[in-house]
Amino acid sequence: MSEQTPHRDQAATEPTNPEGPQPEPLRFFGTTWVEHDGGYGLRRAAVAVGSLAAAAAGGFLLRFAYQGLTLAEVGGFVGILVVVMFAVCSAIAFRKTWEGFTRRPADPAREDALRSLKLIGFVGSLLAYFLRSLTEAPGEKLLRSEYEAARAAYEKRRATRTGNPAARGTKANRPRKGRR
């Protein structure tokens, strides 16, 4: 018995080729957002609680950093500058994260340039994630609209194909319309 038989787990994990477009997985949700199954509600609650807890932890971290600046006696101007910088970066990160849930970026290079700014304003991104997870999986609306459009286009293409193309005759063999 030199042949190796596939394990049951291998057969279950091998990708199948279903027809039509497939939904894009979401972070923390996979493809459970399509049918709202597989613990979708529990995952949404976990994402909401996790993002809010991470935002609170980030706020405490920023507070300790500010206290470090105060202990170092760097001056009031620097302290105000740091607070304003984090507030502005958080606001921009919130806005960009929120926009990312509803539409694809028009200029991916610009989004890459804003990555460091969004990293500094991580509290804003976490808050956007929290607020969006209260109503849906973050990014679900965008992916659902893209998936439904792709499914509709696929069904339209599929409906226009009728019969067996191999059974069709060539142009010379087809009867002409309108002439007898």
Side-chain angles (χ1 to χ4, degrees):
M1 293 195 181
S2 62
E3 282 186 42
Q4 293 181 357
T5 57
H7 292 85
R8 189 181 313 199
D9 294 339
Q10 270 183 332
T13 58
E14 287 181 10
T16 59
N17 290 330
E19 293 185 22
Q22 297 303 306
E24 188 177 332
L26 275 173
R27 181 181 294 155
F28 305 123
F29 293 92
T31 56
T32 62
W33 61 267
V34 177
E35 299 293 330
H36 291 187
D37 59 352
Y40 171 82
L42 185 60
R43 289 177 191 216
R44 250 186 52 205
V47 165
V49 169
S51 60
L52 187 61
F60 283 123
L61 180 69
L62 292 176
R63 180 175 180 222
F64 290 137
Y66 182 76
Q67 286 177 346
L69 289 174
T70 305
L71 288 174
E73 298 178 0
V74 293
F77 178 71
V78 173
I80 291 171
L81 195 62
V82 168
V83 168
V84 169
M85 177 201 57
F86 274 108
V88 168
C89 289
S90 290
I92 293 171
F94 179 91
R95 185 172 145 255
K96 288 297 182 183
T97 303
W98 192 266
E99 286 175 357
F101 295 146
T102 56
R103 61 184 168 91
R104 299 273 182 191
D107 186 10
R110 181 171 161 82
E111 290 297 314
D112 287 341
L114 291 175
R115 185 176 295 159
S116 59
L117 191 131
K118 287 170 68 174
L119 183 64
I120 293 168
F122 67 98
V123 173
S125 290
L126 289 169
L127 290 175
Y129 221 78
F130 166 72
L131 290 175
R132 182 58 88 166
S133 64
L134 293 177
T135 58
E136 66 177 9
E140 178 181 349
K141 184 177 183 179
L142 171 68
L143 292 185
R144 186 170 302 281
S145 65
E146 290 176 351
Y147 177 63
E148 288 175 354
R151 289 294 301 175
Y154 173 77
E155 293 300 326
K156 183 178 179 184
R157 282 192 314 268
R158 189 142 171 90
T160 58
R161 289 189 246 158
T162 57
N164 183 356
R168 293 182 190 150
T170 62
K171 262 189 171 177
N173 294 340
R174 281 191 220 154
R176 295 180 181 176
K177 293 181 181 180
R179 292 188 183 177
R180 292 189 182 198

